[in-house]
Amino acid sequence: MKNNYNLLLVFLLFPFLINAQTKVSGKISDAKMNPIPGANIYIKDSYDGGTSKVDGTFSFKTNEKGAAVLIASFIGYKKYESNIDLKKGEMKIDIILEEEITQLNAVVVSAGSFEASDERKGVILKPLDVLTTGSTADLYSSLNTLPGAQTIGETEGLFVRGGSAAESKTIIDEMIVQKPFSSSVPDLPSRGRFSPMMFKGTVFSTGGYSAQYGQALSSALILKTQDMPNQTITAVNLMVLGFGGAHTQVWDKTAFSVEGGYYNLNPYNNVFKQRVDWDRSPSSLDLSANFRQRITKNGLLKAFVSYSKSDLSLYLPDLDNPPSKTFFRLKPENYYSNVSYRDIVGDWNLFGGFSYSLDKDKIDAGGNKISQDQSLIQGKFTANKKIFDTAYLTFGAEVHNTLYDDTYNQFNVKLEEVYTAGFAESDVYFTNDIAAKVGLRTEYSKILNKFNIAPRISFAYRLGNYDQLNFAYGRFYQTPEKNYLVQYDKFDYENADHYIANYQYIGEDKTFRIELYYKQYRNLVKGTIYSYPYFNLPVVPFSNDGNGYAKGIDIFWRDSRTLKYCDYWVSYSYLDTKREFSNYPTQAFPTFAAPHTFSVVFKRWFESISAYLAFTYIHASGRPYFNPNNPEFLGDRANSYNNLSMNISFIANWFNNYSVIFVSIDNIPGFANVYGYRYSSDGRISNAVVPPTLRSLFLGIFISIGQSNQNQ
């Protein structure tokens, strides 16, 4: 009876309840006035609310009265809250939701940089690509297949967009590497000193790089070493050039690994015809060790040390006294150590690092005894913090102490440089589609006794889910090289301004990128130094009066989706550049730059035989060389460079151990490449600069004891 009474009471009061309700209606849209369907809208602290329809409209009724808070929310957008006054009748409210800006879905500023990392989406190159590109499994050789990089066959170095090798810096775990390549002899390039398998990620910046880095007019190669390994493993390497091994031991929060190898090219050089008159074929001993310690949940301590020692000697042509030759012996010794700690403390991301480098070269050049010692101590600190919902601040400082000690017979020169720098940089996300990176770097050089201030700024605008536009500007300073500093004490910084604009599309397994750039050089160092290759020209006094420019376009396309089991990329670079520096008498297209560079890399996996086959083709138009008989300085050009190389990796499981048989062949068609010519002092005799062999072959067997996983 009581229930019937209550039901009767409801029916009696129903017309009054209806009359007391407020109807709330409207439309929910984004900032571009696009409707947002499925958004939740309700009165705070009540059960009254609804959901927006396909066209963004909503409507619901509430019995609440007076002051209230209306809330609207949808994934990916900021929560909307508004104070309203509920009165009987109808209330119409149109709501605009703002995007919730997060690092996960925000656009990434990428002007001037190619990133290779297993941790980031939109990868251009993966770390494994280094091992399967070209014929040498060398990090720097693989980078030469990317636009902006130049293939220079007669010397080592990273040559980017008209810049010399000295204008590019290699950075490992935030620490600059003083000498990333092994020492070399004239017209014979050396390899990079570090194994590509050390690194989990690579950022190759061809310009416009972050304010966190400096002392590079053209390019920064930023390498990140592997974190904590996941298993204990032993590896054995057997190669035609030598042998090596490694062991990694993993505990709960600690890991330690050692690696070593001995390499001797004498047996190889005796089998394959050489164009070099070797007295002692190159031999080397390489040792390294890694330590990892998990200190806290997010805190990781890394320590790395490497040591290498090599020996070689040969006879170089003496063009002024043919058929005489000059004896040349080189005994380099390199030591490098790096310790870093990274952690998250509260809402701060903190990094601290220390590195020490010692590089020694003992040279016998035609009876002249030369010793070149260089050491570098570096410390760096970086902090990062979210200062607003849409902005992150990074700041820090670093200091370098470099000592030079050179001896030429009885003459000795010593030099010390103390370089300090501070930087601050902010990542600002205006929306998920618009972002900017604004930075400032200041540096001080003791040897120059001068400061500089370098602004950096980049913008990114996302056009759609997969494509975006990027713009960047930056000023970059660099201290002159040691060979100049030991002879003159009134130099200033060299500097360059970078202007970059690009469009990139990164979809599912497809990447397209086109980039325009302009680089303006100022205060380049001029002066005659008698180091190789020296041009037989009138003596040029020392000054900072040099200048130059570089401009061009880079194009990159990669596709690992269209062809089954296949992956390929194509890159093209056009470069227009001139500079007046060193002992150049006028502006000229430099010897280390080619107007056109084109490369194709094609890879295919053969599942039936567990093999990975890769081809790499590189073409570069002819580069200038110095001919004293031509009145136009650097007016002669060599023929175009061509190279087609192949490598194949057979993956096996021998006695439940992961094993790889690796075979590579360089210059399969036997292209007769000539890099340029060297001339006698009177210009009557010339000698072609060519590769040490017409073709090269490499064979190696790599066995991982304790690892049977073939996912790689």
Side-chain angles (χ1 to χ4, degrees):
M1 183 69 184
K2 184 177 181 180
N3 289 337
N4 291 335
Y5 174 78
N6 290 336
L7 184 61
L8 177 61
L9 186 61
V10 169
F11 277 107
L12 291 173
L13 295 177
F14 184 74
F16 300 97
L17 294 175
I18 292 296
N19 191 47
Q21 283 183 327
T22 301
K23 181 181 179 181
V24 181
S25 63
K27 184 176 181 179
I28 301 179
S29 309
D30 62 14
K32 297 179 181 179
M33 302 310 295
N34 297 314
I36 300 177
N40 295 317
I41 182 165
Y42 57 93
I43 302 298
K44 187 177 182 180
D45 299 326
S46 78
Y47 295 100
D48 300 329
T51 302
S52 61
K53 300 178 182 179
V54 175
D55 60 357
T57 61
F58 65 90
S59 177
F60 67 90
K61 295 180 180 180
T62 177
N63 293 319
E64 301 292 325
K65 295 180 180 180
V69 177
L70 180 67
I71 295 178
S73 64
F74 189 69
I75 296 175
Y77 293 84
K78 293 181 180 179
K79 181 185 290 186
Y80 171 91
E81 295 190 13
S82 178
N83 295 317
I84 59 176
D85 185 16
L86 293 172
K87 299 177 181 179
K88 65 180 181 178
E90 184 172 349
M91 177 178 289
K92 189 172 183 179
I93 301 175
D94 290 331
I95 298 171
I96 295 178
L97 295 184
E98 297 180 17
E99 283 188 287
E100 181 72 42
I101 302 171
T102 65
Q103 285 189 311
L104 181 63
N105 64 355
V107 62
V108 178
V109 179
S110 60
S113 296
F114 283 90
E115 181 157 351
S117 169
D118 286 332
E119 297 179 342
R120 290 289 301 271
K121 296 181 179 179
V123 167
I124 300 293
L125 287 182
K126 299 177 182 178
L128 188 61
D129 288 329
V130 175
L131 299 177
T132 55
T133 300
S135 62
T136 61
D138 179 62
L139 172 62
Y140 296 91
S141 296
S142 67
L143 292 177
N144 285 338
T145 67
L146 293 178
Q150 301 271 301
T151 299
I152 310 298
E154 70 271 27
T155 187
E156 68 281 350
L158 192 56
F159 299 84
V160 177
R161 291 179 172 174
S164 70
E167 296 174 19
S168 297
K169 289 294 186 288
T170 297
I171 299 160
I172 297 180
D173 288 339
E174 304 299 310
M175 302 287 110
I176 283 183
V177 180
Q178 178 174 258
K179 201 170 184 178
F181 293 87
S182 302
S183 299
S184 65
V185 299
D187 295 332
L188 290 175
S190 63
R191 290 172 54 88
R193 286 172 47 200
F194 302 101
S195 167
M197 295 309 294
M198 281 178 51
F199 308 111
K200 68 175 182 179
T202 302
V203 177
F204 176 39
S205 174
T206 53
Y209 57 87
S210 166
Q212 298 181 49
Y213 312 105
Q215 288 295 294
L217 290 183
S218 289
S219 171
L221 176 61
I222 303 164
L223 305 170
K224 303 174 184 177
T225 60
Q226 300 284 352
D227 291 331
M228 187 72 70
N230 54 22
Q231 62 178 324
T232 295
I233 189 172
T234 299
V236 177
N237 310 325
L238 304 174
M239 296 160 281
V240 293
L241 307 178
F243 59 89
H247 178 75
T248 299
Q249 187 70 39
V250 178
W251 294 275
D252 182 27
K253 296 182 179 180
T254 308
F256 180 74
S257 63
V258 293
E259 184 174 357
Y262 174 75
Y263 309 98
N264 192 321
L265 269 66
N266 188 59
Y268 180 88
N269 290 345
N270 289 334
V271 175
F272 295 94
K273 184 178 179 180
Q274 299 287 304
R275 295 167 169 171
V276 179
D277 188 3
W278 292 109
D279 171 68
R280 178 189 177 96
S281 294
S283 61
S284 66
L285 174 68
D286 298 336
L287 302 171
S288 65
N290 269 290
F291 176 78
R292 301 286 186 267
Q293 178 68 51
R294 182 69 68 184
I295 305 296
T296 65
K297 179 182 178 180
N298 298 305
L300 181 63
L301 174 69
K302 292 183 179 182
F304 167 73
V305 59
S306 71
Y307 172 80
S308 63
K309 185 176 183 179
S310 58
D311 190 4
L312 63 91
S313 59
L314 72 165
Y315 295 94
L316 299 173
D318 185 351
L319 299 183
D320 288 331
N321 298 288
S324 298
K325 293 188 176 183
T326 301
F327 177 77
F328 190 98
R329 185 174 188 180
L330 173 65
K331 298 175 67 176
E333 192 172 358
N334 306 103
Y335 172 85
Y336 177 74
S337 60
N338 183 319
V339 179
S340 65
Y341 180 72
R342 191 180 298 273
D343 203 351
I344 299 176
V345 180
D347 54 356
W348 287 89
N349 287 280
L350 303 176
F351 169 85
F354 171 86
S355 71
Y356 173 69
S357 303
L358 178 61
D359 300 294
K360 298 183 176 182
D361 286 344
K362 303 296 182 184
I363 301 172
D364 183 342
N368 295 301
K369 306 299 181 182
I370 303 171
S371 174
Q372 297 177 330
D373 296 354
Q374 183 175 346
S375 65
L376 169 64
I377 298 174
Q378 178 186 7
K380 187 173 183 177
F381 169 79
T382 302
N384 173 273
K385 178 179 170 51
K386 183 177 181 179
I387 53 177
F388 303 110
D389 288 342
T390 59
Y392 297 80
L393 176 66
T394 301
F395 63 90
E398 60 182 308
V399 59
H400 302 186
N401 182 211
T402 308
L403 298 175
Y404 304 98
D405 187 351
D406 289 2
T407 300
Y408 184 88
N409 294 327
Q410 72 273 25
F411 301 102
N412 178 258
V413 176
K414 293 184 179 181
L415 196 66
E416 180 180 9
E417 162 71 323
V418 178
Y419 161 85
T420 56
F423 54 87
E425 191 171 62
S426 180
D427 293 277
V428 182
Y429 300 93
F430 302 102
T431 71
N432 279 330
D433 294 331
I434 302 175
K437 184 188 293 285
V438 181
L440 192 68
R441 182 181 181 89
T442 181
E443 302 170 329
Y444 173 75
S445 166
K446 176 185 175 182
I447 202 167
L448 300 180
N449 192 26
K450 292 181 183 294
F451 284 93
N452 69 58
I453 297 177
R456 316 276 172 86
I457 185 167
S458 301
F459 291 98
Y461 175 64
R462 182 158 55 192
L463 302 173
N465 291 332
Y466 303 110
D467 57 345
Q468 67 183 61
L469 297 173
N470 299 280
F471 306 91
Y473 163 78
R475 171 159 289 188
F476 303 87
Y477 289 92
Q478 188 167 340
T479 304
E481 293 183 78
K482 173 203 67 174
N483 291 340
Y484 293 96
L485 294 174
V486 297
Q487 301 189 55
Y488 187 69
D489 61 358
K490 291 181 173 58
F491 282 121
D492 200 345
Y493 292 102
E494 301 177 295
N495 70 77
D497 287 341
H498 294 195
Y499 303 86
I500 298 170
N502 79 30
Y503 166 82
Q504 72 175 24
Y505 170 92
I506 301 179
E508 294 185 7
D509 302 322
K510 291 183 179 180
T511 299
F512 174 74
R513 180 187 180 105
I514 182 169
E515 184 161 286
L516 300 170
Y517 63 88
Y518 179 79
K519 184 164 46 174
Q520 180 70 53
Y521 289 101
R522 298 182 183 88
N523 292 351
L524 294 182
V525 166
K526 294 199 65 179
T528 298
I529 56 172
Y530 298 93
S531 60
Y532 192 85
Y534 162 70
F535 300 140
N536 187 20
L537 294 166
V539 174
V540 176
F542 293 107
S543 71
N544 274 108
D545 295 337
N547 58 80
Y549 70 89
K551 59 184 177 181
I553 182 171
D554 292 337
I555 302 174
F556 180 84
W557 165 256
R558 182 170 187 174
D559 179 9
S560 57
R561 185 180 183 87
T562 303
L563 302 175
K564 189 175 182 180
Y565 300 124
C566 294
D567 180 18
Y568 71 93
W569 67 82
V570 181
S571 66
Y572 168 76
S573 295
Y574 168 72
L575 170 65
D576 175 17
T577 182
K578 284 187 177 181
R579 62 166 54 197
E580 182 182 351
F581 81 133
S582 187
N583 66 336
Y584 282 31
T586 184
Q587 270 201 359
F589 204 102
T591 59
F592 44 77
H596 303 277
T597 305
F598 172 78
S599 65
V600 179
V601 177
F602 181 85
K603 307 179 183 185
R604 191 186 193 284
W605 168 252
F606 294 89
E607 191 169 12
S608 59
I609 58 174
S610 297
Y612 199 65
L613 177 66
F615 289 92
T616 301
Y617 172 72
I618 297 178
H619 167 86
S621 54
R623 292 182 285 115
Y625 64 88
F626 176 64
N627 180 356
N629 303 304
N630 188 341
E632 181 185 355
F633 178 63
L634 299 183
D636 288 28
R637 288 184 181 269
N639 293 330
S640 295
Y641 171 86
N642 293 278
N643 192 312
L644 176 63
S645 61
M646 180 207 75
N647 69 70
I648 184 168
S649 303
F650 294 96
I651 300 176
N653 198 331
W654 294 343
F655 305 104
N656 202 35
N657 294 312
Y658 177 72
S659 306
V660 177
I661 302 173
F662 182 84
V663 181
S664 70
I665 304 175
D666 185 61
N667 194 20
I668 298 172
F671 293 114
N673 291 311
V674 177
Y675 304 131
Y677 293 85
R678 306 297 182 208
Y679 284 82
S680 59
S681 299
D682 59 12
R684 295 181 178 180
I685 300 174
S686 64
N687 185 58
V689 181
V690 296
T693 60
L694 182 63
R695 297 181 183 87
S696 62
L697 171 70
F698 177 83
L699 172 64
I701 300 175
F702 308 91
I703 304 172
S704 297
I705 302 172
Q707 180 183 11
S708 59
N709 182 15
Q710 298 186 23
N711 290 334
Q712 289 288 325

